[in-house]
Amino acid sequence: MVKVTVCGAAGGIGQPLSLMLKMNPYINELSLFDVVNVPGVGTDLSHIDTDTKVSYHLKSDDNNTGLSQALKDSNFVIIPAGVPRKPGMTRDDLFKINAGICSELATGIAETCPDATVLVISNPVNSTVPVFAEVFKKKGIFNPRKLFGVTTLDSVRANTFISEVATNEADKAPSAFNIRVVGGHSGETIVPLFSVCAPHVYALEDEKKIDALVHRVQYGGDEVVQAKNGAGSATLSMAYAGYKFLHAVLAASTGDTTIIESSYVYLDDSIPGAKETKEIIKGLYGGESLDYFAMPVVLSKEGIKEIKSDILSRVNNKEKELLKICCKTLAGNIAKGASFSQ
Ligand code: NAD
Ligand code: LMR
């Protein structure tokens, strides 16, 4: 029996994500949690004639039994709870309010379903994932193989945007690409590795075109925030990306050992490839190494099986420079998240 809980299920991401999860063959029970509107969303989804059973739970006024009922026996928890950006804001501006929400949800998970695999969408991901890790450490249940910051939208954008540059010349579709994006999930911490994983695209022989493409991936979120003009940030493309990542994690949990996806993870020395990743980052950055980094990871039944550190040793000089800039900002983001609960 596989139970998946969505925290923030009534939101802009939560609703389309829950719709897709209701259609996922791996999931037996879909549990929806939110502070508002979730009875309507849950009732609506429950009329769909797929086999996945739907339950819904509102945050309750007492000691949050709504949350513990939602989380009870969950194997996977995906979290698009929290406030989104408006034009003129950075993801970091969301930290104070979203870190509080994440801390509360992390406590609920630690107390109710400590073995669950946790996928964090709430921004700023660079800092909210450390918030989860610190709560889990305090509760003595932290398993670094089962905590994921969802950065899939960066790869999704990189695949789409490079295909737009390539289409005129090489007739490439987005599905022809699988661009790995490493680092973090905000602005200059987002580092797409076009030199390592793109099939040859003639347009990218032009330095200016590469620079523009990298910038578009790094600031793709701003494009959506500006276009929505005060009505929030990416929801539909994020629901797709969150679904894509969770589907990969679910497929791996059934025994498929061939799945590699990028995610923002804790570089715990016990995970093969983590030490090597930290060493390479340290060499590039010149400062302390970082404890968290988005990297391609091999998924398995037990969560992360291996971190594919080798990708960092194949980057070109331009990407090395991008990684240096990324590390500087990311170090501050990580420290902010890690110190939140102290
Ligand atoms: P939204 O406001 O539409 O939805 C958020 C939902 O969270 C709401 O329904 C709200 O009631 C709920 N919520 C608030 N506090 C809660 C709590 N304590 N427990 C449970 N639910 C709670 O926002 P959205 O557009 O869906 O975005 C959600 C978050 O995802 C934002 O922080 C946004 O920045 C982030 N995001 C991340 C990525 C990514 O790539 N990781 C992409 C897009 C958006
Ligand atoms: C995104 O990349 O679209 C999200 O992180 C939302 C945002 O604030 O840009």
Side-chain angles (χ1 to χ4, degrees):
M1 290 294 284
V2 173
K3 176 172 172 179
V4 172
T5 297
V6 182
C7 294
I13 297 166
Q15 291 200 37
L17 174 63
S18 301
L19 172 60
M20 285 189 271
L21 295 176
K22 175 75 172 86
M23 298 189 287
N24 187 290
Y26 291 120
I27 303 173
N28 304 99
E29 183 177 349
L30 179 62
S31 164
L32 310 176
F33 177 74
D34 206 301
V35 294
V36 289
N37 298 338
V38 77
V41 173
T43 304
D44 191 356
L45 284 179
S46 73
H47 289 192
I48 294 174
D49 64 353
T50 55
D51 294 344
T52 308
K53 185 174 156 253
V54 176
S55 63
Y56 57 83
H57 312 268
L58 261 180
K59 182 174 174 173
S60 42
D61 293 334
D62 49 22
N63 56 353
N64 217 350
T65 43
L67 180 60
S68 45
Q69 279 166 6
L71 293 172
K72 190 170 182 294
D73 300 326
S74 294
N75 310 98
F76 301 88
V77 184
I78 185 159
I79 303 161
V83 288
R85 284 197 289 163
K86 288 189 164 39
M89 291 172 80
T90 65
R91 292 179 186 81
D92 200 41
D93 294 332
L94 307 171
F95 178 75
K96 209 168 168 204
I97 178 153
N98 287 354
I101 292 170
C102 288
S103 178
E104 181 184 308
L105 294 172
T107 303
I109 292 166
E111 289 172 358
T112 314
C113 53
D115 294 328
T117 298
V118 177
L119 288 69
V120 182
I121 294 174
S122 315
N123 267 321
V125 167
N126 294 357
S127 307
T128 52
V129 173
V131 169
F132 273 89
E134 289 305 315
V135 172
F136 291 166
K137 283 183 201 170
K138 268 195 187 159
K139 294 275 185 186
I141 60 107
F142 182 43
N143 180 349
R145 291 179 190 258
K146 289 189 168 186
L147 176 62
F148 298 95
V150 182
T151 57
T152 319
L153 184 53
D154 300 318
S155 306
V156 165
R157 285 188 177 129
N159 294 337
T160 305
F161 299 162
I162 192 175
S163 78
E164 289 172 9
V165 177
T167 305
N168 299 336
E169 303 163 6
D171 201 29
K172 293 267 175 19
S175 57
F177 297 95
N178 185 11
I179 305 299
R180 302 293 184 197
V181 183
V182 301
H185 176 69
S186 76
E188 60 196 10
T189 71
I190 298 171
V191 183
L193 301 181
F194 290 112
S195 81
V196 183
C197 23
H200 191 78
V201 171
Y202 291 104
L204 296 190
E205 286 172 10
D206 178 343
E207 289 271 305
K208 279 195 187 136
K209 287 198 175 150
I210 299 189
D211 292 348
L213 192 56
V214 168
H215 186 272
R216 193 168 177 214
V217 175
Q218 291 184 323
Y219 295 93
D222 294 26
E223 256 183 49
V224 182
V225 170
Q226 277 150 24
K228 291 200 174 178
N229 197 20
S233 55
T235 52
L236 301 173
S237 52
M238 181 58 233
Y240 165 78
Y243 178 80
K244 189 178 181 198
F245 185 66
L246 179 52
H247 181 79
V249 171
L250 287 166
S253 75
T254 67
D256 188 337
T257 52
T258 61
I259 302 173
I260 302 176
E261 284 289 331
S262 296
S263 177
Y264 182 68
V265 299
Y266 184 80
L267 302 172
D268 191 79
D269 287 352
S270 68
I271 305 174
K275 273 189 202 156
E276 292 81 352
T277 301
K278 282 200 277 196
E279 277 307 307
I280 298 171
I281 294 170
K282 201 171 164 185
L284 285 170
Y285 178 30
E288 289 294 301
S289 191
L290 303 178
D291 286 336
Y292 298 82
F293 215 67
M295 286 291 287
V297 300
V298 184
L299 298 168
S300 73
K301 270 185 182 168
E302 287 77 35
I304 301 168
K305 184 172 171 232
E306 183 192 341
I307 297 171
K308 300 293 283 176
S309 58
D310 55 303
I311 198 165
L312 293 182
S313 45
R314 292 188 278 128
V315 303
N316 65 20
N317 286 337
K318 203 177 191 69
E319 289 162 348
K320 278 186 190 159
E321 284 309 311
L322 292 171
L323 283 167
K324 265 188 209 166
I325 298 167
C326 156
C327 290
K328 209 169 160 211
T329 304
L330 194 50
N333 295 161
I334 293 169
K336 190 169 179 175
S339 61
F340 177 76
S341 57
Q342 275 143 30

